[in-house]
Amino acid sequence: VQLQASGGGLVQAGGSLRLSCAGSGRSSTRYDVGWFRQVSGKEREFVAAIKRTGSSTSYADSAKGRFTISRDTAKNTAYLQMNSLKPEDTAIYFCAADVRRILSDDLRQYPGAYDYWGQGTLVTVSS
């Protein structure tokens, strides 16, 4: 599966952005999606994940209550709606696909569980 992340940009603290992750090469119902972010010099950090059918979601503590992950299976696209953004949310955001564990009920929160990655989109939150 090929993934294309988009929607990043520069926003003031308290603002909102919606990231998109467009998939191709594999049906949307055949992979789970995770969003991760990375700051230069630090490890890639889990943000949110959603099951292939959209039936279940998982969030990092830093994202709970501010971010919402969703997906449109017809469009083969996943989204990350980010509200109340903070300067510490500044990072490159990546979407990823887990194709091996789609029949399990849980969602993985570590990068090694994901098989395919998009190219990343930069989010910058100014104070």
Side-chain angles (χ1 to χ4, degrees), residues 2 4 6 14 30 34 36 46 53 55 57 66-68 88 92 94-97 118:
Q2 293 79 44
Q4 180 76 31
S6 63
R30 294 179 61 196
F36 291 78
F46 172 77
T53 59
S55 59
T57 58
R66 299 189 300 128
F67 295 1
T68 302
E88 51 263 44
I92 299 175
F94 299 88
C95 60

Side-chain angles (χ1 to χ4, degrees), residues 48-97:
I50 187 167
K51 289 299 292 181
R52 60 191 179 99
T53 59
S55 59
S56 179
T57 58
S58 176
Y59 295 92
D61 287 343
S62 60
K64 288 178 181 177
R66 299 189 300 128
F67 295 1
T68 302
I69 189 171
S70 62
R71 68 190 305 171
D72 185 332
T73 54
K75 295 182 178 179
N76 203 351
T77 300
Y79 304 96
L80 184 67
Q81 177 67 44
M82 305 187 296
N83 299 328
S84 303
L85 283 162
K86 305 174 182 181
E88 51 263 44
D89 294 318
T90 295
I92 299 175
Y93 284 71
F94 299 88
C95 60

Side-chain angles (χ1 to χ4, degrees), residues 86-108:
K86 305 174 182 181
E88 51 263 44
D89 294 318
T90 295
I92 299 175
Y93 284 71
F94 299 88
C95 60
D98 177 359
V99 303
R100 291 175 286 166
R101 303 169 186 84
I102 60 174
L103 298 182
S104 70
D105 292 333
D106 59 332
L107 288 158
R108 274 64 181 181

Side-chain angles (χ1 to χ4, degrees), residues 36 44 96-98 100-101 108-117:
F36 291 78
R44 198 161 291 190
D98 177 359
R100 291 175 286 166
R101 303 169 186 84
R108 274 64 181 181
Q109 300 186 355
Y110 53 97
Y114 291 80
D115 308 288
Y116 300 94
W117 291 82

Side-chain angles (χ1 to χ4, degrees), residues 2-45:
Q2 293 79 44
L3 301 174
Q4 180 76 31
S6 63
L10 174 63
V11 63
Q12 289 188 333
S16 298
L17 281 174
R18 188 177 80 156
L19 306 183
S20 298
C21 177
S24 61
R26 189 179 184 98
S27 169
S28 179
T29 60
R30 294 179 61 196
Y31 62 93
D32 299 337
V33 172
W35 282 99
F36 291 78
R37 64 188 183 186
Q38 190 168 24
V39 176
S40 179
K42 294 188 176 181
E43 293 185 353
R44 198 161 291 190
E45 174 188 34

